[in-house]
Amino acid sequence: MESRIKQLREKRGLIQEILASELGITQQMLSKYERDITFIKVDILKRIAVYFNVTTDYLLGLSEVKRDLQGQLKVNETLDEYYDLVEIYKNLDKYDQEMIWSIIQIIKKFDEKRKREQKRVD
């Protein structure tokens, strides 16, 4: 399980603090889950599976199949909706892909900050 959570997180370009915040846990707890130091709670396991759209069996290393039929349908719908964007990104060289990914991460952080501040105002 350690490597699967870490692999998924790193593939999305997330640092532990961001993923932990998204899951409602501490960075230290996520680190322990990634290193298999402590048992993962079932509700956290489910949150991680939903977040990455993978099965809990995949996270636990019980299966090599990442998604069940519903999960794969969700991926297909999303891919269909953003197909043109994916094709443009795919045809960029590695440097430009990394630059675009960095820009997206910065925008996401500002969006999260703006949403937190808006919640405080409401």
Side-chain angles (χ1 to χ4, degrees):
M1 184 170 54
E2 161 193 3
S3 60
R4 295 248 165 114
I5 295 171
K6 185 174 182 178
Q7 281 176 343
L8 291 166
R9 176 180 59 76
E10 289 177 344
K11 188 162 187 162
R12 286 239 184 131
L14 297 170
I15 61 172
Q16 284 182 340
E17 293 166 336
I18 292 174
L19 179 58
S21 174
E22 296 270 334
L23 298 171
I25 61 175
T26 65
Q27 179 270 325
Q28 292 83 2
M29 188 57 70
L30 178 60
S31 177
K32 288 178 182 180
Y33 292 152
E34 285 187 353
R35 293 180 291 139
D36 205 21
I37 290 175
T38 189
F39 290 111
I40 189 166
K41 294 180 180 179
V42 173
D43 63 317
I44 302 300
L45 180 67
K46 288 179 184 178
R47 279 190 238 161
I48 294 170
V50 168
Y51 185 87
F52 289 111
N53 187 28
V54 296
T55 65
T56 54
D57 282 356
Y58 177 78
L59 289 174
L60 294 170
L62 301 174
S63 172
E64 294 302 312
V65 177
K66 277 188 174 181
R67 295 174 186 88
D68 59 12
L69 182 57
Q70 282 299 109
Q72 193 57 50
L73 287 173
K74 182 179 174 183
V75 168
N76 291 350
E77 288 172 10
T78 302
L79 183 56
D80 190 45
E81 184 176 349
Y82 297 103
Y83 183 77
D84 293 334
L85 181 63
V86 170
E87 283 298 307
I88 292 169
Y89 180 83
K90 185 177 81 172
N91 290 321
L92 297 173
D93 65 30
K94 195 70 175 166
Y95 175 81
D96 290 338
Q97 286 179 348
E98 289 175 6
M99 184 172 54
I100 295 296
W101 188 252
S102 296
I103 292 168
I104 290 170
Q105 291 300 318
I106 291 167
I107 292 170
K108 184 176 186 226
K109 286 178 187 176
F110 279 112
D111 181 56
E112 290 168 353
K113 181 179 178 185
R114 189 174 53 247
K115 286 176 182 174
R116 281 193 305 270
E117 289 172 356
Q118 184 62 37
K119 282 183 181 179
R120 287 186 211 141
V121 173
D122 293 342

